[in-house]
């Protein structure tokens, strides 16, 4: 199909470039990462929300790279999508985390949206629209205990009632997908305009890391939603699915990016600012044999994490091409493997930056501690200990992992 590769003109949206293919997506992400990296420390220190950076991300076309080709998108591979997120996370993991839910809820539309819903929302995304997230709730029994309700309003629509927390991306979104249950307890996603009556986004995120994701609260006070803006998400889990594998692949990519970005900054600090230990007998920290040894050990771990991420992306792509219970399970296990491996590596790198740099690396003004804070905060998503359990059951007993969407 022929596509005008200039800008879209959807009403109320800024317009965006349309990326053609996987190679352009990766090149665009690499260029944006180079733009975003220099300001990451200052944004974190001052909690300066990346509004301008997200507008650049929208305009670049990167947020539309998973839109199917039949709707005018690049429909890039999962491996490419993970690499795009990894590149952004190495520069600023806050910016990389904000669109994680965006890609997840584009994926929901691909699988469960009606033709009319897909046409409308894919057009919005191609025009630069950002989808946020109103999913998790605080004070419930567990992470999948959703209390938010989607109640019929008697006029071929619904009313949304509830309170959401950890709503990454909502503050910056044009549309906020809301997870809610209907009267029969089935799970749905309601796509709600950011400026809808009764919807309030509160910027109250106060985590020690990922400080500029604005992962705050969303309040829903009888927000009216037309029926054609509601998608039956529970149907996603009635057969083989890659919803959880793709979502978790993006979280893993963020952690791999954090590890790589931390290592790069640590090595640059050693080369330009650190001092050798006096017993080493060398004039440069970069020639200190023990620092060299540690740098090599850490580089191996980062390279391994990057290789596992790429392998997991390929496994997801293979499953998408031939989706069965077995292929979906293999994809989930591959993604769980990279997440279980990289989470402690990212945290270790956040501490090792001081080990390599010495005392002067701890100066607050350098804000090198943001790497550890970001890694420690983001790796709290979906604990690796449960992923290791599922991996063990799979390799030892051939037990397929569950379909709950977090694996």
């Amino acid at each position: 199909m022929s596509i005008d590769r200039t800008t879209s003109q959807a009403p109320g949206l800024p317009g965006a470039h349309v990326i053609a293919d996987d190679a352009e997506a990766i090149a665009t992400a690499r260029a944006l990462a180079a733009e975003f990296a220099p300001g990451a420390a200052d944004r974190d220190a001052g909690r300066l929300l990346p509004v301008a950076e997200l507008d650049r991300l929208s305009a670049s076309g990167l947020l539309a790279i998973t839109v199917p080709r039949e709707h005018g998108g690049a429909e890039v591979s999962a491996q490419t999508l993970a690499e795009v997120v990894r590149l952004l996370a190495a520069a600023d993991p806050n910016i990389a985390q904000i669109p994680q839910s965006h890609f997840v809820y584009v994926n929901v539309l691909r699988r469960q949206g009606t033709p009319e819903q897909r046409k409308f929302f894919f057009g919005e995304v191609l025009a630069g629209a950002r989808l946020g997230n109103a999913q998790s709730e605080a004070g419930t029994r567990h992470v999948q205990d959703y209390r938010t309700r989607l109640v019929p309003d008697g006029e071929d629509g619904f009313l949304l009632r509830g309170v959401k927390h950890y709503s990454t991306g909502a503050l910056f979104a044009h549309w906020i997908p809301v997870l809610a249950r209907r009267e029969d307890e089935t799970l749905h996603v309601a796509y709600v305009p950011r400026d809808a009556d009764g919807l309030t986004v509160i910027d109250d995120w106060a985590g020690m890391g990922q400080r500029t994701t604005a992962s705050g609260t969303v309040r829903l006070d009888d927000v009216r939603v037309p029926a054609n803006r509601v998608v039956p998400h529970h149907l996603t889990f009635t057969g083989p699915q890659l919803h959880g594998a793709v979502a978790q692949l993006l979280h893993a990519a963020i952690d791999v990016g954090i590890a790589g970005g931390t290592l790069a900054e640590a090595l640059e600090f050693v080369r330009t600012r650190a001092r050798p230990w006096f017993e080493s007998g060398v004039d440069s920290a970069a020639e200190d044999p023990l620092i060299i040894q540690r740098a090599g050990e850490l580089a191996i771990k980062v390279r391994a994490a990057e290789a596992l991420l790429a392998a997991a992306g390929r496994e997801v792509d293979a499953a998408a091409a031939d989706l069965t219970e077995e292929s979906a399970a293999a994809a989930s296990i591959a993604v769980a493997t990279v997440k279980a491996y990289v989470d402690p590596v990212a945290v270790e790198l956040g501490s090792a930056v001081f080990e390599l740099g010495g005392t002067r690396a701890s100066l607050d003004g350098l804000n090198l501690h943001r790497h550890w804070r970001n890694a420690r905060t983001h790796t709290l998503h979906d604990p690796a200990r449960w992923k290791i359990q599922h991996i063990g059951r799979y390799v030892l007993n051939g037990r397929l992992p569950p379909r709950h969407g977090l694996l």
Side-chain angles (χ1 to χ4, degrees):
M1 136 178 221
S2 175
I3 301 168
D4 179 8
R5 304 277 177 199
T6 54
T7 57
S8 302
Q9 298 295 329
L13 294 174
H17 173 69
V18 179
I19 287 175
D21 53 29
D22 294 58
E24 186 183 359
I26 291 173
T28 301
R30 188 170 285 115
L32 283 181
E35 287 184 32
F36 296 159
D42 288 342
R43 284 192 295 271
D44 174 271
R47 198 173 179 273
L48 305 174
L49 300 181
V51 176
E53 289 77 11
L54 289 173
D55 285 343
R56 285 282 294 121
L57 190 63
S58 289
S60 75
L62 277 180
L63 296 183
I65 58 176
T66 60
V67 170
R69 292 186 187 93
E70 64 186 282
H71 288 274
E75 195 174 354
V76 302
S77 67
Q79 184 179 356
T80 292
L81 180 59
E83 178 64 4
V84 164
V85 173
R86 185 194 71 81
L87 288 166
L88 294 174
D92 186 337
N94 294 266
I95 292 174
Q97 187 182 344
I98 289 168
Q100 189 269 347
S101 292
H102 169 95
F103 290 116
V104 167
Y105 287 106
V106 168
N107 204 30
V108 169
L109 288 163
R110 288 181 66 177
R111 302 309 172 199
Q112 301 302 337
T114 65
E116 293 76 18
Q117 288 171 330
R118 290 196 293 268
K119 180 180 178 181
F120 174 78
F121 281 109
F122 292 159
E124 291 280 291
V125 171
L126 285 165
R130 294 188 291 269
L131 308 184
N133 146 48
Q135 179 171 303
S136 294
E137 301 179 15
T140 55
R141 291 183 302 116
H142 51 71
V143 70
Q144 290 201 321
D145 179 17
Y146 301 114
R147 310 284 176 86
T148 298
R149 291 288 154 177
L150 195 60
V151 182
D153 66 357
E155 300 178 10
D156 194 30
F158 301 91
L159 296 176
L160 270 174
R161 297 169 181 162
V163 180
K164 299 290 189 174
H165 298 267
Y166 312 117
S167 303
T168 304
L171 190 67
F172 312 106
H174 299 94
W175 292 87
I176 301 178
V178 181
L179 273 182
R181 295 196 184 276
R182 290 194 57 179
E183 60 276 14
D184 61 359
E185 297 299 318
T186 55
L187 192 62
H188 291 69
V189 178
Y191 289 76
V192 183
R194 168 69 175 80
D195 59 357
D197 290 341
L199 186 152
T200 306
V201 180
I202 304 169
D203 181 20
D204 57 357
W205 170 241
M208 67 174 179
Q210 296 296 92
R211 298 182 65 213
T212 63
T213 58
S215 301
T217 301
V218 171
R219 294 188 177 278
L220 304 150
D221 298 312
D222 284 343
V223 178
R224 190 176 185 282
V225 186
N228 63 0
R229 296 291 181 263
V230 177
V231 175
H233 189 37
H234 61 284
L235 297 180
T236 301
F237 308 104
T238 58
Q241 51 81 31
L242 296 172
H243 176 82
V246 171
Q248 290 297 303
L249 183 69
L250 301 185
H251 279 307
I254 293 166
D255 295 335
V256 175
I258 291 174
T262 306
L263 179 62
E265 188 160 2
L267 297 180
E268 181 64 14
F269 192 91
V270 168
R271 286 189 290 263
T272 60
R273 305 188 67 170
R275 297 187 297 179
W277 184 244
F278 72 95
E279 292 178 282
S280 67
V282 298
D283 295 327
S284 165
E287 296 300 324
D288 186 319
L290 298 184
I291 291 179
I292 289 173
Q293 176 73 19
R294 186 62 173 138
E297 293 169 348
L298 295 169
I300 290 168
K301 293 184 178 185
V302 171
R303 287 287 294 273
E306 291 171 353
L308 285 170
L309 181 68
R314 290 192 296 270
E315 198 75 53
V316 172
D317 287 326
D322 182 18
L323 188 59
T324 65
E325 293 284 3
E326 291 71 22
S327 67
S332 288
I333 292 299
V335 173
T337 299
V338 61
K339 189 75 163 58
Y341 176 81
V342 74
D343 279 12
V345 170
V347 174
E348 180 183 3
L349 261 295
S351 179
V353 66
F354 305 107
E355 180 185 344
L356 293 174
T359 305
R360 65 180 60 186
S362 69
L363 293 175
D364 195 52
L366 297 173
N367 200 15
L368 292 177
H369 49 68
R370 77 184 187 282
H371 296 298
W372 183 89
R373 291 186 287 102
N374 288 336
R376 184 63 282 178
T377 299
H378 187 260
T379 55
L380 297 175
H381 275 274
D382 316 306
R385 58 187 177 271
W386 274 100
K387 297 184 187 302
I388 294 169
Q389 284 281 311
H390 293 305
I391 294 167
R393 292 174 185 139
Y394 179 78
V395 300
L396 186 60
N397 300 317
R399 188 180 305 174
L400 302 187
R403 292 180 185 163
H404 54 49
L406 296 177
L407 192 68

